[in-house]
Amino acid sequence: MFNKTKPKIDNFFYIYFILILYLIFNLTLQAPFQDNNKFWRFIPILSFGILIFSNTKNFPIEKFKKFSIISCLIYIIICLIKTFFFYENHSFLPFGNGEDINQILSKDRPYVGFYIIINSILVFSEILKNKKNRIINIFIFFIFFSFLLLIVARLSILSFLIVVLIYLVFYSKINLNNKLIILSSLILIFTLFVCFNPKIKERVIYQSTESFIDNEPRFVIWQSVFNILNNKDYSYLLGYGNSNLIEEYLVINYEKNIENPEKREYFLHDRFDTHSQYFYFLLLGGFPALLLFSIYNIYSLYLFRKDFVSFSIFISFILFFLVENVFSNQLGCYLFLVYITYIFYYNKRTNFISNYGNDKVNKNYE
């Protein structure tokens, strides 16, 4: 009975390619090629990369996992070394608001945080199934979590807590009291970490709601998106089909609506995008693009529901899509390509049966 009703994992890619083809068709009809350079630049990665990986017969799942974890660990060690020398020269940690953090991370903080979250999930899976190296993996997991707190990647910390909550509620066999102790301990560690470092504290704790709104660019960006959706030339059926036009409309809104001259100059200089994959698809391809993307996400969650690792990785992607234009960033495209391919092959090998969940979870979905 289970074999007859289980979803086909190939549909996971079919829905994705329908979205890509729709966007290609839409943008080709609505705008000159050069007006969508940012989109066309990443199409080979998002389409041909997925096609190549999805047709690889012997994807080295375990080797890839170990390589990913070790690579992430090496990256963190390099960042910590940079942090040490920075502290020696400046006598403060560079992880608050400001440009200093770029000297340490070399990449945008949200993407670094997301990369660490994914690898934290992978190393956690090793803790659960590999008794031989459990202590080493626990130590690596602790390093990942500590560095996540150190750089104060806020969404990634929130994603981390959500993933822990998902595991404790749906997959873990431990009793309720222990679950509450684990979750409370993580929150307490984060709170202490913030309270004892002023540079980190300034990124998390604000004097008022107005101060938080003023320091978080997405409040201005998303209000500008809503303004653009009310433009007379916007079509909910087709969108604009023109990424350059969307960028220009955003810049016009920044110039028009931001009163603080210094803040306005900052937004105009950086020309912030929509900072949400969902909003970007809504503006670019209209409601059909948003609907296809949402169906893809929902179906993927349903598809991977039996396995904690796959489910939590995809949940992390969905949360990241909320606040970043992942497909407009080269690193974002590569992260999506590599880790989506990994969970695809992992599920194909395990036939959707979780090695980490309890029996009640599995039975509920049969």
Side-chain angles (χ1 to χ4, degrees), residues 136-147:
I136 295 174
N137 287 321
I138 289 173
F139 180 67
I140 293 173
F141 183 81
F142 176 76
I143 291 174
F144 287 0
F145 178 61
S146 299
F147 191 73

Side-chain angles (χ1 to χ4, degrees), residues 24 34 74 96 103 105 109 124 176 181 207 216 224 248 250 254 261 299 306 328 349:
I24 291 173
Q34 62 271 18
I74 292 171
Q103 298 180 38
L105 300 181
R109 176 163 27 196
F124 183 68
L176 180 61
I181 290 171
Q207 294 179 347
E216 175 48 64
S224 299
E248 288 302 320
L250 286 169
Y254 301 152
Y299 180 79
K306 293 290 184 89
S328 299
R349 190 188 69 177

Side-chain angles (χ1 to χ4, degrees), residues 294-353:
S294 300
I295 290 172
Y296 170 74
N297 288 334
I298 293 168
Y299 180 79
S300 299
L301 288 179
Y302 173 72
L303 185 68
F304 299 133
R305 70 197 186 283
K306 293 290 184 89
D307 177 66
F308 164 71
V309 173
S310 304
F311 188 82
S312 55
I313 286 176
F314 206 87
I315 278 286
S316 300
F317 268 109
I318 287 176
L319 293 172
F320 200 45
F321 288 144
L322 285 171
V323 296
E324 289 292 334
N325 280 20
V326 179
F327 296 151
S328 299
N329 182 287
Q330 187 173 13
L331 178 59
C333 290
Y334 282 128
L335 289 173
F336 178 81
L337 168 66
V338 170
Y339 290 106
I340 290 299
T341 302
Y342 168 79
I343 62 176
F344 167 75
Y345 276 102
Y346 181 82
N347 275 267
K348 206 166 188 178
R349 190 188 69 177
T350 58
N351 201 30
F352 316 116
I353 299 173

